[in-house]
Amino acid sequence: MRTSQLFISTKKEAPAEAELLSHKLMLRAGLIKRLGSGLYTWMPLGLRVLRKVESVVRSEMNAAGAQELLMPAVQPAELWQETGRWDVFGPQMLKITDRHERSFCFGPTHEEVITDIARSELRSYKQLPANFYQVQTKFRDEIRPRFGVMRAREFVMKDAYSFHASFESLQQTYDVMYSAYSKVFTRLGLQFRAVAADTGAIGGSGSHEFHVLADAGEDLLAYCPTSDYAANVELAEAFAPAVPRAAATESMRDIDTPKQTACADVAALVGVGVERTVKAIALISAAGDFVLALLRGDHSLNEVKLGKVDGMADFRFATDEEIRSHLACPPGFIGPVGIAANIRVIADLTVAAMSDFICGANKPKFHLSGVNFGRDLPEPNVVADIRNVVSGDVCPDGKGGTLELCRGIEVGHIFQLRTKYSEAMNCVFVTEQNTQQAMEMGCYGIGVSRIVGAAIEQNHDERGIVWPAAMAPFSVAVVAVGYHKSEAVKAAADDLYAQLMAAGVDVLLDDRNERPGSMFADMELIGIPHRVTIGDKGLADGIVEYVARRGGEMQKISLTQAKSFLQGVINN
């Protein structure tokens, strides 16, 4: 394609609303244009990138045995009511009403629709397993759309759903899809990790997330450098200390802490490490009970793990008023000593092994030092792993390694749904023994449009985007300096362009009447992997200049060898 035929709208500065670097670069490079909050038009250059991602995804889905279909974006409420999700999915669902006052939603996901198809079309074990996928626009009414296409309200997603006669069959397809996802992200040239994850609102049993590694990632991942272990921090297991609780050596005493409410500040005042402190977090269970969760001062609460403790599903944090009502103390000074017997105490494994620790005194402006379980307060009602792992924790795989942490952007998620939806919607098949049985189901999603933003977060420099080869809008940019002034430049550029086109190379000929600096800046901002510059000075010696977008030095190459040279660097 020629730039004279391509809409290019680059900008020197990003709009003020752009927060994340990928959002800024996508707007500056003219890949997207904002229509409204969380709504973006994919401009010609951006759409080329999006279509290339889709192509790789489709290729691997087809190779994995999935069949493509396309389901309606607008879904009737009745299907969601069958599974009970119409009322519980939350405000993210955009609900609409037609002229006949019938309720619909703009689909945030398609489990109900595909299950409705399966129950009407898949009746016998002979038709199973079956795996269907689509690439389609979804809508989720994010409370705070941000980061451009990374957290937009409308987005492009590949979602696949499989149906099985047995869990063993589901596991086989799950493993195939895990492999297919790994191939997708490898082909796209992305650094990624597959991590064990929580199933969340989708439900089911087994679950893995696929994350593009980037400092801007919202998810914190735990991995072991010496093994294959990797998990989202919300799921990574933290072990109890290997050393049992030491005997008490101190007497409990008050510490005057007039302004110190944070554990780190209290520890600094006393002159000890923050790991000697215990923080109490006030919670309200779904049943309305007041609960204290105890964590070491330098650890953070893992809400997913806590939610799995008996009686703590759907808990919330207590308000200041509720804390004062139960402990007669303001937040910042609360602790587990001297509390009412009906207040449930859940201690993290690390806290349960502590002695002579510091905690709130349940008195304004005071903490306690030298606190010990069994002597100064009862043993906790529950001891459980309720914290996030930290760097240096023992790896849960039992191979002796330790954990490290990194940031990731979730771009894919696979689930073993089991029979959650098939049972709710009576999606059954006739077995070989002529009995009816609910189908086992799997669900496999890839955020196609989100991949574009994640790739930029991982691949950029001070000049702009540095696309992996498989995602670049064009493979080669031929920059013709003086195209409209020099017949020699025009002839050479047109000839090289025609050669590359005939060879199947995705090439962009920059034939604009612009200054060289402006042309180079645009090609670098857009991120095309390879650039060849043709100008009168070089042509006098029969040469052109080649530069690789990813950190390459300028090379002078023969014009007659330019086509074969470019094919070589592209293939490598």
Side-chain angles (χ1 to χ4, degrees):
M1 182 173 284
R2 297 169 180 265
T3 54
S4 56
Q5 300 169 334
L6 175 67
F7 180 81
I8 296 179
S9 179
T10 56
K11 298 177 176 62
K12 290 185 178 181
E13 299 293 335
E17 80 267 10
E19 302 170 82
L20 218 55
L21 188 139
S22 59
H23 189 194
K24 294 177 181 179
L25 287 176
M26 290 186 77
L27 290 168
R28 283 190 57 212
L31 305 184
I32 57 174
K33 182 175 176 60
R34 184 179 184 271
L35 176 64
S37 178
L39 303 173
Y40 292 90
T41 297
W42 287 83
M43 301 302 285
L45 269 175
L47 189 60
R48 289 182 69 91
V49 177
L50 190 68
R51 292 292 184 248
K52 290 195 172 185
V53 175
E54 289 179 9
S55 178
V56 171
V57 170
R58 280 192 170 94
S59 172
E60 293 300 336
M61 289 302 100
N62 294 338
Q67 300 177 74
E68 186 171 7
L69 46 64
L70 184 61
M71 292 176 275
V74 176
Q75 307 175 23
E78 290 83 357
L79 290 180
W80 287 75
Q81 289 163 350
E82 283 189 61
T83 61
R85 293 207 299 172
W86 182 257
D87 295 321
V88 302
F89 195 86
Q92 280 190 337
M93 181 189 288
L94 178 63
K95 297 180 179 180
I96 52 183
T97 305
D98 70 5
R99 68 178 68 192
H100 303 293
E101 298 301 317
R102 292 175 299 203
S103 295
F104 295 82
C105 69
F106 194 115
T109 183
H110 276 69
E111 284 81 9
E112 282 80 1
V113 177
I114 196 68
T115 306
D116 181 59
I117 293 171
R119 68 181 173 184
S120 62
E121 299 293 335
L122 306 177
R123 301 183 179 277
S124 168
Y125 71 94
K126 296 178 182 179
Q127 297 171 280
L128 301 174
N131 192 357
F132 304 102
Y133 80 95
Q134 65 174 350
V135 179
Q136 194 220 42
T137 298
K138 300 280 194 292
F139 188 93
R140 295 180 186 175
D141 196 4
E142 293 276 358
I143 189 170
R144 185 176 169 233
R146 54 199 174 122
F147 306 153
V149 300
M150 299 270 280
R151 191 170 287 281
R153 294 196 294 167
E154 183 179 283
F155 54 95
V156 178
M157 181 178 178
K158 187 285 301 178
D159 46 323
Y161 308 90
S162 62
F163 298 86
H164 308 269
S166 66
F167 176 66
E168 291 73 24
S169 174
L170 168 59
Q171 185 63 57
Q172 290 172 2
T173 296
Y174 187 88
D175 292 342
V176 169
M177 296 299 279
Y178 182 103
S179 175
Y181 274 41
S182 298
K183 292 175 182 176
V184 165
F185 299 119
T186 299
R187 284 182 58 183
L188 290 174
L190 300 173
Q191 297 178 42
F192 71 96
R193 279 191 179 273
V195 302
D198 186 70
T199 55
I202 296 294
S205 53
S207 172
H208 283 85
E209 295 170 349
F210 290 77
H211 288 260
V212 169
L213 305 183
D215 292 338
E218 292 185 279
D219 291 284
L220 190 60
L221 313 178
Y223 69 96
C224 181
T226 58
S227 74
D228 293 332
Y229 178 84
N232 195 302
V233 163
E234 67 185 14
L235 200 67
E237 181 181 4
F239 292 125
V243 180
R245 183 196 297 165
T249 60
E250 301 178 14
S251 298
M252 187 172 70
R253 63 183 181 87
D254 282 347
I255 308 172
D256 187 7
T257 53
K259 297 180 180 179
Q260 292 77 14
T261 57
C263 287
D265 295 335
V266 173
L269 178 69
V270 179
V272 300
V274 69
E275 70 276 1
R276 290 280 307 278
T277 66
V278 169
K279 56 186 170 188
I281 301 174
L283 311 164
I284 303 295
S285 72
D289 299 322
F290 187 81
V291 179
L292 283 185
L294 305 183
L295 291 171
R296 201 171 78 180
D298 57 338
H299 289 162
S300 59
L301 179 67
N302 187 309
E303 296 181 33
V304 171
K305 292 180 182 179
L306 181 59
K308 294 177 181 178
V309 173
D310 186 40
M312 293 305 293
D314 301 318
F315 75 88
R316 63 174 175 83
F317 294 97
T319 64
D320 290 0
E321 292 74 17
E322 288 168 329
I323 292 172
R324 292 176 187 274
S325 173
H326 286 87
L327 300 176
C329 177
F333 302 96
I334 65 174
V337 177
I339 61 176
N342 65 340
I343 296 178
R344 189 182 186 204
V345 175
I346 302 173
D348 181 65
L349 295 169
T350 304
V351 171
M354 293 175 66
S355 60
D356 295 332
F357 58 84
I358 297 169
C359 64
N362 290 321
K363 292 193 298 183
K365 302 183 180 182
F366 280 93
H367 282 72
L368 295 171
S369 178
V371 179
N372 288 271
F373 287 111
R375 186 192 70 184
D376 307 313
L377 74 165
E379 296 291 339
N381 301 101
V382 178
V383 175
D385 172 21
I386 59 170
R387 71 171 174 91
N388 288 322
V389 295
V390 296
S391 293
D393 276 342
V394 175
C395 180
D397 64 8
K399 297 180 180 179
T402 56
L403 294 177
E404 296 294 337
L405 302 181
C406 65
R407 287 277 168 190
I409 301 167
E410 184 187 338
V411 290
H413 205 160
I414 59 177
F415 303 85
Q416 294 174 0
L417 294 176
R418 303 297 306 269
T419 58
K420 174 178 177 177
Y421 296 92
S422 56
E423 288 182 351
M425 297 183 67
N426 194 33
C427 180
V428 298
F429 69 99
V430 177
T431 70
E432 196 170 1
Q433 292 74 36
N434 205 33
T435 60
Q436 285 195 337
Q437 182 177 312
M439 296 181 199
E440 295 275 355
M441 288 179 59
C443 171
Y444 320 93
I446 286 180
V448 176
S449 50
R450 176 175 256 229
I451 286 174
V452 178
I456 295 172
E457 286 295 330
Q458 192 179 83
N459 299 275
H460 65 269
D461 61 19
E462 69 282 356
R463 293 170 291 166
I465 303 166
V466 186
W467 288 114
M471 297 178 63
F474 297 93
S475 298
V476 176
V478 176
V479 177
V481 178
Y483 184 88
H484 296 274
K485 299 176 182 178
S486 168
E487 287 298 326
V489 169
K490 183 177 185 300
D494 286 347
D495 182 59
L496 179 57
Y497 174 66
Q499 290 182 50
L500 293 171
M501 289 284 286
V505 175
D506 203 359
V507 57
L508 177 66
L509 172 58
D510 195 344
D511 57 355
R512 294 176 293 172
N513 189 18
E514 297 281 352
R515 292 178 294 103
S518 176
M519 298 164 81
F520 295 156
D522 279 351
M523 294 304 108
E524 290 176 334
L525 174 60
I526 293 167
I528 299 175
H530 308 282
R531 187 184 82 215
V532 171
T533 302
I534 299 177
D536 272 327
K537 185 176 180 180
L539 286 179
D541 298 321
I543 62 170
V544 294
E545 296 177 351
Y546 165 79
V547 176
R549 179 65 183 84
R550 193 177 293 274
E553 295 293 327
M554 190 272 286
Q555 296 177 244
K556 294 184 177 182
I557 59 175
S558 166
L559 175 61
T560 58
Q561 299 297 316
K563 174 198 164 191
S564 58
F565 175 86
L566 289 167
Q567 286 179 304
V569 293
I570 290 170
N571 292 333
N572 290 333

